Amino acid sequence: MAKSGPVTIADVAVAAGVSKQTVSNVMNYPEKVRPGTRDRVLSAVADLGFQPNRAARALRSSSAGMIACRIEPVSSHSLAHLHDRFLHALAEAGQAVGRHLMLFAVDDAEDEVATCVRLVRSGSVEGVVLYNVVPDDPRPSLLLDAGVPFVSFGRFSADATGWVDVDNAAGIAGVVEHLAACGHQRIGFLGFPEGHRVGDDRARGWVTAMDRHGLLAGSHRLDVRGEDTWISGARMARGLLDRADAPTALVAASDTLAAGALQAVRDLGLTPGEDVALVGYDDTPSAEVLDLSSVRQPIPEIGRRIVEALCPPDGTVLPVAALLAPELVVRGSSRPRA
């Protein structure tokens, strides 16, 4: 018997004893689900009378649809342009497959979800892109419940699909490898406050690589955290460089922190790349201007993979789960030591 009132993916998941992501996969990409599980889900769909959003599916099969993404504000104390570059990559990738990018601004995650649901159900867009998704983020689950097709930049669950991300731990670990090969042993880390998913991943990369080289013992005091601002980067770097056992190299979790550290090094009368090596993260345009080594995220590839998953030729959302490798760009701030 069909359930009275609107039936959601969550209802189907409970009835079939599976996750909401599995129900979504059965609806959009059934060949990826084991036959027994698929039959159980389809049986629950029939029993409950679940009706997927057919208008959205029809639009997804169109050769000229739209995808939507929220615009996020940028701090005046940050040098980061990653979000702008990401949106540009999405627009270019969308253009290559006949899609256009719709941008919208909202105040919080709740408003973002409501806007995404409204845009898809009205037929204005065929799917949405989530930015800066973190574990336990409420947005993916809410969009799954509403039957809204989405792909996110960032992992939101260990066993979920529907995301593309960068291996941030590997990126920072590669920086430590580079600095150790240049002869550095006291390598400090300037990171984000604990609990920040990206920041914690990058800190984990520092710990792992330092331990691999036997440099971690006694170096925990070289791991300092603060807000992602230029002022914070300068303050944290100055605190480390004023110590008797000051580090000879600094790894920053962002180019914004690294730029502040660069100023702190110069304020102390030291020469970047000679007295103190510096490496940032994100390879922003500022990094090139400052001759700052930095880790470059594969933003064009991220945009392409997201659009390919969200807008495939047959109109079914692909269950993508891609962890991409970043690349270290070496400049004068971390040249090999003499």
Side-chain angles (χ1 to χ4, degrees):
M1 180 181 297
K3 174 187 173 183
S4 60
V7 178
T8 68
I9 281 184
D11 297 324
V12 176
V14 170
V18 300
S19 69
K20 291 179 289 185
Q21 184 66 52
T22 298
V23 176
S24 179
N25 287 344
V26 170
M27 295 292 98
N28 293 304
Y29 212 65
E31 61 269 32
K32 293 292 184 180
V33 183
R34 287 181 297 182
T37 302
R38 185 172 65 239
D39 292 343
R40 199 160 73 248
V41 170
L42 292 176
S43 177
V45 167
D47 290 344
L48 295 174
F50 176 65
Q51 294 292 327
N53 191 323
R54 299 186 183 280
R57 287 193 170 196
L59 184 56
R60 286 202 297 274
S61 64
S62 171
S63 61
M66 297 190 73
I67 58 177
C69 187
R70 172 189 180 184
I71 299 176
E72 293 202 346
V74 177
S75 169
S76 60
H77 298 289
S78 172
L79 301 180
H81 299 282
L82 187 67
H83 187 52
D84 291 345
R85 290 159 58 199
F86 174 65
L87 293 177
H88 187 80
L90 277 182
E92 285 195 335
Q95 186 177 31
V97 295
R99 303 306 198 271
H100 300 285
L101 180 62
M102 175 188 291
L103 303 179
F104 63 92
V106 291
D107 294 330
D108 53 36
E110 184 178 352
D111 286 344
E112 180 178 0
V113 169
T115 299
C116 290
V117 171
R118 183 173 65 254
L119 288 173
V120 169
R121 289 183 176 174
S122 68
S124 300
V125 302
E126 58 187 283
V128 299
V129 178
L130 298 181
Y131 182 79
N132 196 26
V133 172
V134 298
D136 299 322
D137 194 308
R139 294 175 293 169
S141 179
L142 292 171
L143 291 180
L144 279 172
D145 282 347
V148 172
F150 73 90
V151 177
S152 70
F153 181 7
R155 288 166 289 177
F156 52 89
S157 175
D159 58 352
T161 59
W163 56 266
V164 179
D165 205 356
V166 174
D167 194 338
N168 288 290
I172 291 293
V175 174
V176 174
E177 296 290 341
H178 160 66
L179 293 171
C182 291
H184 296 279
Q185 294 188 347
R186 296 194 306 279
I187 303 171
F189 178 72
L190 312 179
F192 305 151
E194 292 186 9
H196 186 289
R197 196 265 303 180
V198 171
D200 289 348
D201 284 349
R202 294 176 186 179
R204 178 165 50 86
W206 178 81
V207 170
T208 300
M210 291 286 284
D211 189 46
R212 183 164 53 243
H213 284 277
L215 304 176
L216 191 59
S219 295
H220 61 280
R221 292 178 300 126
L222 299 182
D223 175 2
V224 294
R225 310 295 181 88
E227 296 300 322
D228 186 25
T229 66
W230 183 92
I231 295 172
S232 178
R235 176 182 51 79
M236 290 191 292
R238 183 63 184 260
L240 289 178
L241 295 173
D242 280 340
R243 295 178 179 178
D245 60 343
T248 62
L250 295 173
V251 182
S254 72
D255 284 348
T256 299
L257 293 177
L262 191 69
Q263 186 60 51
V265 168
R266 289 173 172 159
D267 287 345
L268 290 170
L270 303 175
T271 302
E274 294 182 6
D275 300 312
V276 180
L278 289 169
V279 182
Y281 204 109
D282 290 332
D283 194 35
T284 59
S286 300
E288 185 173 3
V289 172
L290 296 172
D291 199 24
L292 176 68
S293 297
S294 187
V295 178
R296 176 181 296 167
Q297 299 197 53
I299 298 301
E301 176 71 4
I302 293 168
R304 184 181 67 79
R305 296 287 287 271
I306 287 176
V307 170
E308 284 181 352
L310 192 58
C311 309
D314 63 359
T316 57
V317 178
L318 299 176
V320 63
L323 188 62
L324 307 182
E327 173 191 6
L328 174 60
V329 180
V330 178
R331 299 189 177 95
S333 70
S334 68
R335 64 173 64 96
R337 303 183 76 189

